[in-house]
Amino acid sequence: MICFGCWLEILPVAAAAAIVSVLLAYAYCTRHYGHWAALGVPHTKPTPLLGHFAGPTLGRESGTVTVDTLYRRFVGHRYFGVYQLRHPMLVLRDPVLVHSVLATEFASFHDRVMNRTSFEHDGLFNSLVNLRGDRWKAVRAKLSPTFTVAKLKAMFASLHVCTGQLVDKLLLLTSDGQGIQNNVS
C-alpha cells in the first residue's frame, strides 16, 4: 500500500511530466507552421495539428469548400501557403505560374503529396499528375511523344468545338447567377 506522503512526492513530478509532454506534443505538431512566414509567403494561421484542413478532417465541410474559401481569401496574390496537417503546401493562383509548373518546369515537380492507399483503391490516381519518382519518369517518357506540337495542333479544332459546347452548357446552367451547386453527399 502506498502511503499518503508518497503521493504528495509523486504528484508534482507527475504533473510536471504531463505538462512537459503536452508542450512537447504541441511543439511537434506546430513546428513547421512558421515555414511560410519565414519565406514571406502569404498565409493564414493554421489550426494546431490539423493545419488549414480542420473542417474536412473533422467532417464539417468538404475539402473543396475549404480550398475554395482559402483561394478566395487570397485574391490579388499570385500564390499562398497552406498546411495540410503539419505539411506546408504552396497553392498557385497566377495562371503564368501554373503554366510554368505544369508545362515548362514539369520535370522538376514530379513528386506530389498523395497517399499511397489512393493508388491501391482508385485507378484514377494512376495518372501522370499523381505518380512519383521513377514511375513518373517512365510514364512521362511513354506519353511525351503522344502530345507533340503537331498532334496537339491537329486536335485543336475538335477541342475548340467541345470547349465551346461546354461553355454554352455552363452558361445555360448558371443563367440565374447562382452558380452550380454540388449536392452530392
Side-chain angles (χ1 to χ4, degrees):
M1 185 163 148
I2 300 177
C3 66
F4 182 69
C6 295
W7 278 107
L8 291 177
E9 291 175 13
I10 295 174
L11 190 59
V13 173
I19 290 171
V20 168
S21 297
V22 168
L23 291 175
L24 286 174
Y26 180 80
Y28 174 77
C29 293
T30 60
R31 74 178 160 144
H32 296 292
Y33 287 173
H35 182 76
W36 295 128
L39 294 175
V41 174
H43 66 285
T44 60
K45 185 177 178 183
T47 304
L49 183 64
L50 301 176
H52 289 95
F53 294 90
T57 303
L58 299 174
R60 292 186 203 147
E61 65 184 10
S62 73
T64 306
V65 171
T66 300
V67 172
D68 183 59
T69 302
L70 288 165
Y71 192 84
R72 291 175 192 271
R73 185 175 293 161
F74 289 97
V75 170
H77 294 280
R78 296 179 68 204
Y79 51 85
F80 62 93
V82 297
Y83 295 94
Q84 183 176 18
L85 300 177
R86 298 176 46 238
H87 306 286
M89 296 173 53
L90 186 67
V91 179
L92 304 177
R93 288 185 49 94
D94 183 17
V96 174
L97 288 175
V98 172
H99 179 267
S100 177
V101 168
L102 294 179
T104 312
E105 300 294 330
F106 192 74
S108 302
F109 295 95
H110 57 84
D111 286 338
R112 311 269 184 327
V113 179
M114 296 302 291
N115 189 338
R116 289 189 189 275
T117 58
S118 299
F119 297 101
E120 296 169 8
H121 299 294
D122 190 349
L124 292 176
F125 278 97
N126 283 321
S127 68
L128 184 62
V129 174
N130 294 324
L131 294 177
R132 297 179 185 179
D134 292 335
R135 191 163 179 209
W136 174 85
K137 290 176 184 174
V139 172
R140 184 172 183 261
K142 290 179 184 176
L143 287 179
S144 290
T146 306
F147 297 102
T148 63
V149 173
K151 291 179 181 176
L152 290 173
K153 282 183 180 180
M155 289 189 298
F156 181 77
S158 297
L159 288 173
H160 186 69
V161 170
C162 291
T163 54
Q165 292 172 348
L166 176 63
V167 167
D168 292 342
K169 181 66 173 179
L170 290 174
L171 288 173
L172 180 68
L173 291 172
T174 60
S175 61
D176 61 356
Q178 296 297 314
I180 299 173
Q181 296 295 319
N182 183 359
N183 296 326
V184 178
S185 299

